[in-house]
Each structure stands twice: as structure tokens, then as C-alpha cells.
Amino acid sequence: MSAFGDAQGAQSVELTLTEAASLLSGADMASTKALTEHGIPSVRMTDGSNGLAMNLPDFSGKVPATCFPTSSALAATWDPALVSRVAAAIAREAAAAGAQVLLSPGMNLKRSPLGGRNFEYYSEDPLLTAELAVGFVKGVQGEGVGACVKHYVANNQETDRMRVSADVSERALRELYLRAFEEVVSRAKPWLVMASYNKVNGTYVSEDERLLTGILRDEWGFDGVVVSDWGAVDDRVRALRAGLDLEMPSTSGASDAQVIAAVEDGTLDAAFVHRSARRVAELARRAADSRRPTGDPPAPVESAADLAITAAERSVVLLRNEHGVLPLAPRAGVAVIGAYASAPRFQGGGSAGVQPKQPAGSIVDAVGARHAGTVEYAPGYAADGLTRDPALLDQAISVAATADVAIVVVGSPESAESEGYDRADLDLPEAQNEIVAAVAAVARSTVVVIVSGGPVRTEAWRTSVDAIVSTGLAGQGVSLGLASILVGDADPGGRLAETWPCELADTPSFLSFPGEGGHSVYGEGIFVGYRGHDRINGAVAFPFGHGLSFAETRFEDLAVVESASGWSVDVTVVNDSERAAREVVQLYVEAPELAARRAPRALVGFAAVAVAPGQKTQARIRVPRRALKRWDEAAAGWTLDSGIHTFVAARSSRDAVLRHEIDVVGDDIRMPLTAASTLVEWLGHPSVGPALIAAVTEADPTGRTTGMLTNPMAVLMIGGLPIGRLAVDAANALTLDLLDRVLDSHMG
Ligand code: BGC
């Protein structure tokens, strides 16, 4: 029997095993089962990371909704408050359509730029991902709708996604892949966590008790429902025992029957069934308590359509701008070239796809409406984005040749970015590279606008065009948002949330992505994204964090105040220009590499600020002590290393502006010394090392043993030996007894 309280916990009802088991799988594709006789209603869930993506009842399409920038585009804003506003708007539309849970945000790290769903995810960096996901969850739940963070965890590829094992070290798992989930679970308290399809180190996440219960609930305090990704359950009974509460979608009662049979034949303790049933019932209660009447959404704080445009504008990243070609000179004759300029891509494919309420419009029309000079258009390549058309190419060249500025709109084709498969490469279709080169050869100035859900290879023309702009997949506001940047009505405040490599082969995961034989070995360890690029100091097309402003800003006065919980860092941003500026102050740490390898710089905080012309503003960034910790493999725990750490205020991971050293007193966890510890570990211990030397000096008055242990060359050679093995050699004074005595007197 499981007991359920009503909203106030005043009364409780008892469920039979059959009733409890029935709550553990879906009623259909999107809802949980109700137990009306016990006052437990059904909960309706829907996708919706960049806009409500609710299927129509007959699955013939989706409910029309406002289409916002995809998470990867929105991540370029580095603005959790804006993400929160967008999330709240999505939640309002979800609630109005009758859903109580939004299956978002997707927050997997971008281990490789080839990830097919990268457009649904935020970043290659866990801190940026965490801050944006916290914003999203708070925005959704502030509207009384539950958020479901996904896909927990290490679901970093689409290839073989239902079976592949992410073989990843504990350190990389803790510092990167789990890290963002940990923050969001502990700070934003999502109602649900979705267990991903893949395995981690050989075990399906949906059956991994350590991940679903040990880490998620016992360590992080998660108190909501763990739901399977749709169809992710391989063995229902094992999954239930591990902590997977709700299986989705419906299994037509088959898995409920398996659960009941397992209890009846004694292989499953009924307590697991009631434990998960209680959590699902609690979710239903939460949802019912905050349910709004369906129908028209309440009067919005801001129009969703306007917010979609603002968000698109703020997602734009200006990657290159030579000779001040942007913003467009007011009277410049402009040629807009590229089929994607008349029908821009604005979202990716798969379950997140939105049926936009308002059309994305055309970039040509949007620029035409904002720009005072002439605007001409030539498609340049076929509408599919792939096919070369010599007649269109020739026409585009002649239009470009007479213009002051040619804006070529290119992008990855629709088929390249979707749930279900990974990208094959980073290349733009040849027809598009050809047109960029041809236009750049004849135009007075060339601006390339890239519409894509992730980085594309720009090597063919990166340094021969004047400006490069990335819009991301920016939702229905893409055209108007982009136009206001191109004409200079707004400052491009977007900054890359992922590295744009020169070549795919430069990316840290290149050699092992997407794996083979059912395994994806995360060989790059913690060196994902910029951590890896920076570690080898390899060339990149555009570094993590990069993005240019039209204004001229300076960072001044990096001031650090320490407290018991961490550091408060202030940076003054001065706008020396006559334009309003948007800036993102990025704060990285350079940590000492005494005990473990570290990324040269790791993001520990950031602040997006607006600075009026000629004004200054202060960006305040709080860095908790936790942000400087690393996972220690040997100790199986977090540790803060002592020593000089440097805070770096920067404009990208490669563009340091201000530096400030702090002397950290850490916790320096040390593994207990034993006979299996190496000679170097013994000698390196601050009190045991000197005590050992003193003890052998006394035990061997010839000085031979002391000489061996203090001769640098000898220590280099034998320092890696477990000390117990040296202690059996009669040629020196080390004995197991002596080691014990030293330990006893110096370790207490
Ligand atoms: C996707 C999830 C999605 C679910 C429900 C799955 O295929 O991986 O992200 O929430 O379907 O549509």
C-alpha cells in the first residue's frame, strides 16, 4: 500500500499494488495515468525548448506557437534573465494548450560540434549551460508549469543513441557532464529529470542506481520524478529498482504487468513500486495545484512575438567586422544574396520542432524595411541550399558587382541538423562556398551571414570577406532581429557559447566521436571544447566567448573581495563610443596544476551588461569556492587545491583583458599513505616526508639510504615504486616496521 496526502497532507489514501504500478507508465504518448477515485489526476507533458512543440491530437502537425531561438542560439546571449523570459513565454503557451509539464530544457554538453541535437543544447561549457538552464527552469516553473531537465546524462551524440555507452572518466563526468545538472537540480528544483537513452560506462542510465538515486537524490537532493526518455527503458524492473519512476510513453499496460509479476514472484520489493508511485502522485498534485484554466493565456507581460524578435536580435554574434563595414552605412547600395535570405532557416528538426504562429519572414524584406539605401536580391543558389545553379550564380555576381555591400546569406541545410542523427561534417554545401567566393571576388564589401545551429567551416573564405555574422537558428524573429543588427539599430551582444574550429579534425573529441562497436570513448577527458583547444593552443576560427560589438568598450579595475563562501569580482565596463553597447564580461580562472591537469582557463562566472554611450557600468560576478574545485579521482571527491589562482576578465577564452591573482587556501585532500603509496607520495607529504628522511638517517648511519632518497636522479627513477617494494630490499634501511613507525608518529 502507498499512502497519498492531499494538497495539505491532511488526509491520505491507500493504493493497492496494481493501482500503484499503474502510475509508473504513461497513459498515452504524453500523459500519465489518472486514478480519479483517489483524486490523482493525469499530468500532460509536452516538448518545447524553443517554443511549444505540442502534437495535434491526430499527430498531423503541431499546435501553432511562438517560435523562439533554439537553445544554442539563445545561449549566445549569455543572459539567463532573457532565457527566463523566453521560458516563461513558452510555459504560458504550454499551460494555455493544457500541458502541465514542459519537457525542457535540453542541457547536454556539446562534446563535438557534430552532435545532431546541438542546436537544442546550450554550450560546450558546464557553467554557462548551468546558468542558462537555471534561468529556463525558473522561468517555466514561475508560471506554474513543471520543467523536465534532459537528457540526464552524457547523451552527447545521436549516433546509436538508444544503445551507445558513453565511456567517460569519473572526473569528466563530475566536472563537465553532471555539473550543469547538479547546479540546476540544487538551485532551480525542476519537477522532473529525464533519463537519457544511452548507457554510461556500460549501464543504461535508466537502470543506473548510482546516477538516478545515489547522485541525483542522495547527493543533490532531487525530490521530483525521474521520467524515461521516450522508449528508453530496456528492463522495467531493473529501471524501477534503480530509481526510474515513470516510464514514457504508454506500454499498453505491459510494463505495469511486469512490475506486478516481479513483486509477486519475490524478485522486486513492493516498496520500490510504492516509492515511485508516491512521487508520480506528488507530481500530479503539484500540477493540479498550479493548473491554470485552459484557453487564452493570461495577459502577457510582453508580447511573445515581440520577445521572439528581441531574443533573435540578442542571439546574433558578430564574428568579424573589418573596415567598419557593419553597421551598414545609411545610404549604402546593398545586394542581399542567397536563397536562405528569402526563406531563412530558423529551427532544427525532431521533437523540438515548432509550428510557428508568425512566419519568419524574409531577411531581404526585413533589411529593405530598415535600410535607407537600395536593397536588391539575388537567390544565388537553389532553394534547397544544396544545389548549384550556374544561372543564379551569374545573376548574383552581377548584382553583387554593382552594390556597395553584398550580404551573402548561407547556412547548413535543413537536413543537416536534426534529432536522430549526427552531422557528417562542418562544411557548408559547395554551392554556398562557391557563391561566397564569387561574390567576395567582385563586391566592394562582402558580409557573410551564417544561419546554422552550430559552427560551420569558414576556412575557404574567412579572411577574404569583410564581415561574418552568425544568427544561430533564431526562431520566427530571425529576419527582423538580424536586420536591426545589420543596420545598427542594436549592438550585437551575442558571444559564442561554443568554439568554432578551423577544421573538424582540430576538435578535442575528433578521434573518438561517435565511437564504434556500441562504445563512445570520451578520450579527451575534461578537455572538451575550449578546454582542449586551449590546452594544445591550436588555432581556432573563432574562440569560445568571442563576439564583437559596434561600440568601443574597455574593461577596467578588476577588484576581488574574498568571503567565506567565495569571491566577489567587480569589473568596470567603460563605453568610449557614441553607441549603446552590450558587453559580456567573462571571468575565467587559471588554476595551479600541482595535483592534476587543468584546463588553461575555465569559465567561473560572467555578466552581460548594457552600457550607454560614454558611460560606465560595473559588472559583479560571484564565484563560489565550489567553482574552483576539481574532482579528485583517487579520493573520489571534490577538492580545492591551495596555491595561486588567477582570475582573468576576458572577452573570450583566448582574449584576456585583466588579471588578478588570489592565494587560495584549499582543502588539499590527500590519500592516506600506505605501503602501496609511491616513494614520491611519501616524500611529498609535508610532515611524513621529512620524518621518513630523519628515520632512515638514524637507521642507516652509513648515509646510503638517505642518499638514495634524496638524490634527485634516483628519486626520478624509483619514485614511482610503491614504497613497500623498496622496503623488502636488504640493501637499504627501509623496512615495513620503520614505515609503520613513521606513519604512527606523524599521522596520529
Ligand atoms: C526525445 C526527447 C523528447 C521525447 C518526447 C524523445 O525522442 O529524445 O527529447 O522529449 O522524445 O517527445
Side-chain angles (χ1 to χ4, degrees):
M1 290 282 169
S2 29
F4 298 94
D6 66 6
Q8 285 71 44
Q11 297 160 17
S12 62
V13 290
E14 305 268 293
L15 296 188
T16 64
L17 175 66
T18 310
E19 288 169 334
S22 79
L23 291 180
L24 307 187
S25 66
D28 52 29
M29 274 306 283
S31 314
T32 63
K33 296 199 203 93
L35 284 176
T36 357
E37 56 284 23
H38 292 296
I40 300 170
S42 161
V43 177
R44 182 146 182 223
M45 299 174 261
T46 177
D47 281 310
S49 48
N50 60 305
L52 174 66
M54 183 186 274
N55 289 308
L56 292 170
D58 62 359
F59 290 91
S60 60
K62 302 234 172 127
V63 174
T66 310
C67 183
F68 293 96
T70 64
S71 304
S72 99
L74 209 49
T77 67
W78 293 58
D79 187 346
L82 179 64
V83 170
S84 221
R85 275 158 60 200
V86 167
I90 299 172
R92 284 194 290 273
E93 292 188 10
Q100 292 96 41
V101 165
L102 197 64
L103 300 170
S104 290
M107 47 184 296
N108 296 93
L109 283 203
K110 301 182 187 190
R111 178 182 170 229
S112 162
L114 295 182
R117 292 182 90 171
N118 278 7
F119 68 90
E120 281 188 70
Y121 302 143
Y122 294 114
S123 175
E124 66 191 21
D125 179 83
L127 179 107
L128 182 54
T129 297
E131 295 302 322
L132 299 175
V134 165
F136 193 97
V137 171
K138 287 187 172 167
V140 170
Q141 297 194 165
E143 295 297 319
V145 172
C148 174
V149 297
K150 68 187 188 186
H151 308 87
Y152 180 76
V153 61
N155 183 182
N156 308 103
Q157 65 187 59
E158 294 299 284
T159 306
D160 203 16
R161 69 169 166 159
M162 310 286 279
R163 298 179 311 185
V164 74
S165 174
D167 294 347
V168 54
S169 71
E170 186 67 7
R171 182 172 177 207
L173 202 56
R174 294 286 187 158
E175 290 186 17
L176 300 175
Y177 300 102
L178 287 170
R179 191 72 188 93
F181 284 101
E182 176 178 4
E183 286 293 309
V184 87
V185 163
S186 51
R187 284 163 53 195
K189 309 228 169 298
W191 291 9
L192 298 96
V193 170
M194 186 186 289
S196 57
Y197 288 127
N198 54 291
K199 301 175 188 126
V200 170
N201 295 326
T203 303
Y204 277 113
V205 172
S206 61
E207 295 175 11
D208 193 325
E209 187 176 353
R210 188 178 85 99
L211 289 173
L212 297 188
T213 300
I215 293 178
L216 185 60
R217 292 187 189 276
D218 301 343
E219 284 186 32
W220 302 347
F222 179 64
D223 64 356
V225 165
V226 174
V227 60
S228 71
D229 198 346
W230 269 228
V233 173
D234 189 54
D235 180 318
R236 183 61 184 112
V237 173
R238 270 214 293 264
L240 186 59
R241 232 185 256 121
L244 187 129
D245 305 307
L246 174 62
E247 176 179 16
M248 285 301 292
S250 160
T251 61
S252 308
S255 55
D256 305 350
Q258 287 162 10
V259 166
I260 293 167
V263 173
E264 286 172 349
D265 71 18
T267 50
L268 177 70
D269 188 336
F272 288 111
V273 183
H274 292 293
R275 176 181 78 172
S276 287
R278 259 195 304 278
R279 292 177 187 150
V280 176
E282 170 63 14
L283 171 71
R285 186 188 64 71
R286 254 179 170 173
D289 284 355
S290 53
R291 195 183 305 239
R292 292 180 194 273
T294 54
D296 288 337
V301 194
E302 57 194 329
S303 127
D306 286 349
L307 180 59
I309 297 166
T310 305
E313 174 192 297
R314 300 271 298 277
S315 302
V316 173
V317 186
L318 179 61
L319 295 170
R320 173 180 169 88
N321 194 20
E322 298 294 304
H323 324 114
V325 61
L326 291 177
L328 294 169
R331 298 263 152 219
V334 170
V336 180
I337 289 161
Y340 285 162
S342 77
R345 284 192 58 221
F346 55 91
Q347 63 175 334
S351 53
V354 175
Q355 174 59 46
K357 262 191 190 164
Q358 288 86 12
S362 111
I363 294 173
V364 188
D365 293 347
V367 173
R370 291 283 183 93
H371 180 58
T374 56
V375 177
E376 280 195 79
Y377 169 63
Y381 52 85
D384 62 6
L386 295 164
T387 314
R388 194 174 173 270
D389 183 326
L392 292 181
L393 180 64
D394 287 349
Q395 181 208 10
I397 291 171
S398 65
V399 169
T402 56
D404 296 314
V405 182
I407 301 175
V408 191
V409 181
V410 295
S412 48
E414 190 144 14
S415 56
E417 292 165 308
S418 173
E419 178 175 340
Y421 53 91
D422 292 312
R423 291 168 72 183
D425 51 43
L426 300 181
D427 296 335
L428 285 171
E430 215 24 65
Q432 299 192 23
N433 277 327
E434 182 183 27
I435 196 131
V436 174
V439 167
V442 298
R444 256 168 252 158
S445 304
T446 305
V447 176
V448 178
V449 172
I450 302 169
V451 181
S452 70
V456 298
R457 183 176 181 276
T458 56
E459 291 313 283
W461 38 259
R462 178 164 51 93
T463 52
S464 53
V465 299
D466 301 283
I468 304 177
V469 177
S470 162
T471 62
L473 296 177
Q476 67 183 47
V478 58
S479 298
L480 293 171
L482 170 67
S484 80
I485 298 289
L486 294 177
V487 304
D489 286 351
D491 192 42
R495 302 292 181 262
L496 291 181
E498 63 189 297
T499 308
W500 280 42
C502 295
E503 303 292 344
L504 174 63
D506 301 337
T507 57
S509 61
F510 174 71
L511 290 177
S512 54
F513 182 96
E516 60 199 23
H519 290 268
S520 190
V521 179
Y522 286 32
E524 70 287 351
I526 60 161
F527 296 104
V528 173
Y530 69 91
R531 289 168 161 77
H533 287 286
D534 292 355
R535 176 84 196 187
I536 60 167
N537 201 18
V540 296
F542 302 107
F544 174 81
H546 173 72
L548 304 171
S549 157
F550 291 149
E552 282 151 36
T553 59
R554 279 180 292 122
F555 293 178
E556 276 183 352
D557 305 329
L558 172 57
V560 179
V561 176
E562 185 169 359
S563 69
S565 61
W567 298 267
S568 176
V569 180
D570 286 345
V571 176
T572 307
V573 183
V574 186
N575 182 355
D576 287 326
S577 72
E578 289 173 4
R579 294 188 149 274
R582 298 203 65 85
E583 256 315 335
V584 177
V585 180
Q586 302 162 36
L587 190 72
Y588 297 84
V589 71
E590 296 172 357
E593 266 214 353
L594 302 170
R597 293 202 303 166
R598 307 291 287 252
R601 284 185 189 141
L603 189 73
V604 290
F606 61 90
V609 293
V611 200
Q615 301 293 304
K616 53 172 84 172
T617 193
Q618 205 168 55
R620 170 156 298 177
I621 299 167
R622 291 188 201 288
V623 184
R625 280 173 76 80
R626 176 62 202 278
L628 268 45
K629 292 192 176 188
R630 65 175 173 83
W631 182 264
D632 189 278
E633 290 281 11
W638 292 99
T639 184
L640 180 60
D641 290 329
S642 290
I644 301 296
H645 290 60
T646 308
F647 283 134
V648 178
R651 294 177 189 272
S652 78
S653 79
R654 295 275 175 105
D655 186 0
V657 184
L658 301 169
R659 305 168 63 83
H660 183 104
E661 288 188 353
I662 51 169
D663 194 358
V664 173
V665 180
D667 39 33
D668 300 311
I669 51 167
R670 289 181 179 278
M671 295 307 291
L673 291 174
T674 66
S677 308
T678 64
L679 174 61
V680 160
E681 286 162 356
W682 276 71
L683 292 174
H685 192 283
S687 59
V688 175
L692 177 67
I693 299 294
V696 296
T697 305
E698 193 187 327
D700 176 4
T702 70
R704 243 199 344 256
T705 310
T706 310
M708 177 180 86
L709 299 188
T710 52
N711 175 335
M713 284 311 289
V715 173
L716 266 183
M717 215 175 84
I718 62 172
L721 285 180
I723 200 165
R725 296 198 203 156
L726 286 170
V728 294
D729 180 355
N732 67 59
L734 281 176
T735 62
L736 292 174
D737 266 3
L738 178 141
L739 294 176
D740 277 348
R741 279 202 313 276
V742 170
L743 273 190
D744 282 351
S745 56
H746 285 272
M747 304 287 276

